[in-house]
Amino acid sequence: IGLDASGSTCNDCSDELTILDVEKIFAYLLAKSFEQITPNISIYAFNSLASTNVYYFPQVDDLSMLVSDGGNRDGDFIRYIKNSLAESEAKYKYFFLLSDGAPSAENYFGDQAVADTAMAMNEVLRDNIQLIYFNIDPFCSEYFEEFIANTTYAENFKEPEELIDKVQSMVLEIVQGIE
């Protein structure tokens, strides 16, 4: 499970929650649900300035200390996770990516950043990793359409809170698909 922890995720949504708070709640619920099926769950977050910082959370409860900062070089992070999953012997490999918008960081923005992110997503699929992309963007810009073609499943959420309701159906869908 990968969370975008860029500076824009500190924006308030409602009920005094930030976008990052909602991402953390989603990741927590998803991880706890999948723990009933497999112990092989990893949670990461990322943010970027001139390069990408990747944070690993050994315990799902450690997510509480994650804060928003910097930009987001989504392509860098996606490739990092792809390389980690490529080393796994697991029969089923899923990568859940949560982000709140278009990739944007120092020297990484616009059409080139979108193209790089789409290419990284496609690399994940070519490695037989299921990429589930959850985008939180009230405007659902054109970049999202480019990402859809490079994922196993993608959905845009206009309001961050809508994401929480997706946990149960997503877990059921995956469990039924691997039985």
Side-chain angles (χ1 to χ4, degrees):
I1 303 170
L3 289 76
D4 170 0
S6 63
S8 59
T9 63
C10 73
N11 292 332
D12 289 332
C13 40
S14 67
D15 298 327
E16 299 181 17
L17 294 174
T18 65
I19 293 169
L20 184 58
D21 290 334
V22 172
E23 287 184 9
K24 292 190 289 188
I25 292 166
F26 177 87
Y28 180 87
L29 294 172
L30 190 64
K32 287 295 187 182
S33 297
F34 281 126
E35 281 179 355
Q36 305 304 310
I37 302 165
T38 179
N40 300 327
I41 299 165
S42 299
I43 301 175
Y44 293 85
F46 76 103
N47 59 24
S48 310
L49 293 173
S51 63
T52 299
N53 304 306
V54 176
Y55 308 96
Y56 170 65
F57 297 91
Q59 304 294 320
V60 69
D61 293 335
D62 295 340
L63 277 172
S64 63
M65 60 186 153
L66 182 62
V67 295
S68 303
D69 189 33
N72 55 311
R73 293 176 174 271
D74 295 45
D76 290 354
F77 178 68
I78 291 167
R79 288 182 181 95
Y80 177 89
I81 298 298
K82 176 192 75 82
N83 292 337
S84 295
L85 284 169
E87 296 174 6
S88 170
E89 298 294 325
K91 182 177 178 180
Y92 302 102
K93 299 177 187 181
Y94 287 86
F95 174 20
F96 294 87
L97 176 60
L98 292 86
S99 184
D100 75 333
S104 180
E106 185 178 316
N107 298 321
Y108 191 84
F109 55 88
D111 291 343
Q112 290 178 331
V114 168
D116 180 64
T117 300
M119 187 177 356
M121 290 173 155
N122 188 267
E123 292 167 14
V124 169
L125 295 180
R126 285 196 320 251
D127 277 6
N128 295 316
I129 299 166
Q130 306 300 309
L131 176 56
I132 315 299
Y133 176 61
F134 295 124
N135 185 47
I136 305 164
D137 184 351
F139 307 108
C140 194
S141 305
E142 290 178 14
Y143 70 87
F144 183 70
E145 293 301 319
E146 193 167 337
F147 293 169
I148 289 173
N150 295 292
T151 63
T152 306
Y153 177 86
E155 188 169 346
N156 181 72
F157 298 89
K158 299 216 180 280
E159 298 295 329
E161 298 84 2
E162 297 170 352
L163 186 61
I164 304 303
D165 295 334
K166 192 67 182 174
V167 173
Q168 182 179 5
S169 63
M170 183 56 56
V171 171
L172 286 173
E173 208 171 302
I174 290 171
V175 169
Q176 290 169 349
I178 62 174
E179 291 183 326

